[in-house]
Amino acid sequence: MSSVSVYVKAIDEVLRVKDEVRELVIKTTRDIVRESSLVITYVHIGKLDEAEELLRRLKLKIDELDSKLNQHPELKYSNLYLTTLSEYVEALQFLSIVKFRCLKPPEEVGVHYVPYLQGILDLIGEIKRYILNLIKLNNISDAWVYFNIANDIYECVRGLDYPDALIPGIRHKVDVARRLLEDLREFLIDMESRIKLIEFLRNKS
C-alpha cells in the first residue's frame, strides 16, 4: 500500500464520520424547525403551558446535538444549523414577549449571536400577526405595546454596521423589518382613528 493510499484512507475515515454526523444534523434540524413552528402556533392560540413544555424539550434536543457538533465546527457553524437555531430563537422569544413583554438575553438563550439576531428580527413578523389578532379584539392599546417592542428590536439591530460575512442575512432582515413596521404603523394609526370615531358616534347616539 502506497503512502498516498494510507493518507487518503485516513481522510476517508474522517469524512465517513462527518457524513454520519451531517445526516444526524439534517434529521434533527428538521424536527427542531417543525417543533419551533408548533411553539409559535401554541402561543398564538393561547396555549402557553404547552409552548413552554415543548420549548423545554427542544432545548434538550439542541443541547444534545450541540455537544455532538463540538468536534465538527464546519457543521456547527454551517448555514443549515445556524438557520435552524434562529427558528428556535424566534419561538422562544415569541413566548417570552407574550408572557413577559421582554426578550430573553443571549446568555440565557444560549446560542451563537448570528441565530440570536436572525431570530429576533424574524420575530417581528410574528409580532405583526399577534397585533392583527389584538386588533380583531379592538385591543388597540396592547397592539401599540407590542408594536413598540417590535420597533425597539428593529432600532437596536439596525445599528449593527458590519459586513455580511460577520452577520449573514442581517442587513436583508433589517430591510424587511423596516418595511413591515412602516406599514404596520400606518395600519395601527388608521385603526386607532376608526375605533375612536366609532366610539364617538356611539356616544353621540
Side-chain angles (χ1 to χ4, degrees):
M1 183 181 292
S2 70
S3 57
V4 175
S5 178
V6 172
Y7 304 154
V8 172
K9 182 176 175 57
I11 292 172
D12 181 55
E13 285 298 311
V14 171
L15 291 174
R16 182 183 57 78
V17 171
K18 288 188 180 295
D19 192 47
E20 290 174 358
V21 176
R22 185 186 67 86
E23 290 295 329
L24 175 65
V25 170
I26 291 171
K27 179 184 181 303
T28 308
T29 52
R30 283 184 189 140
D31 293 340
I32 293 170
V33 169
R34 184 181 66 253
E35 291 170 14
S36 295
S37 178
L38 184 56
V39 168
I40 289 173
T41 298
Y42 280 152
V43 175
H44 275 298
I45 63 178
K47 293 186 174 182
L48 302 188
D49 290 341
E50 288 89 338
E52 207 153 18
E53 173 58 23
L54 185 50
L55 278 169
R56 186 190 65 79
R57 298 201 304 268
L58 266 172
K59 179 61 174 170
L60 293 174
K61 189 175 294 185
I62 289 170
D63 286 346
E64 182 180 356
L65 181 59
D66 214 52
S67 65
K68 291 178 180 177
L69 293 181
N70 284 334
Q71 301 300 317
H72 308 279
E74 68 278 12
L75 295 174
K76 185 170 185 174
Y77 298 106
S78 66
N79 185 59
L80 171 64
Y81 188 50
L82 294 180
T83 300
T84 298
L85 290 179
S86 74
E87 300 280 345
Y88 165 74
V89 171
E90 181 183 5
L92 178 70
Q93 298 288 28
F94 186 43
L95 175 63
S96 182
I97 66 155
V98 169
K99 195 170 182 180
F100 305 111
R101 296 190 175 183
C102 65
L103 295 180
K104 291 182 179 294
E107 58 271 17
E108 188 174 338
V109 178
V111 300
H112 190 270
Y113 64 83
V114 169
Y116 184 89
L117 293 173
Q118 290 175 340
I120 62 174
L121 284 170
D122 288 339
L123 173 63
I124 292 174
E126 290 306 325
I127 295 175
K128 177 185 177 182
R129 286 179 58 200
Y130 194 74
I131 286 172
L132 294 179
N133 287 331
L134 289 172
I135 293 298
K136 291 177 184 177
L137 301 173
N138 282 337
N139 192 346
I140 191 71
S141 59
D142 277 358
W144 277 114
V145 169
Y146 286 102
F147 173 85
N148 288 331
I149 292 172
N151 193 60
D152 187 50
I153 293 170
Y154 163 74
E155 290 291 345
C156 291
V157 178
R158 79 185 183 100
L160 296 176
D161 188 20
Y162 298 100
D164 206 55
L166 288 179
I167 47 174
I170 298 302
R171 300 316 312 168
H172 172 69
K173 289 181 184 293
V174 165
D175 290 340
V176 171
R178 175 180 53 78
R179 292 191 295 270
L180 187 153
L181 288 167
E182 286 173 354
D183 292 343
L184 187 56
R185 181 185 285 107
E186 290 181 9
F187 173 76
L188 285 176
I189 291 171
D190 180 55
M191 291 305 301
E192 189 171 40
S193 298
R194 293 186 186 199
I195 290 171
K196 287 180 179 178
L197 177 60
I198 291 170
E199 289 176 350
F200 173 77
L201 294 174
R202 185 182 295 128
N203 292 333
K204 290 282 287 184
S205 61

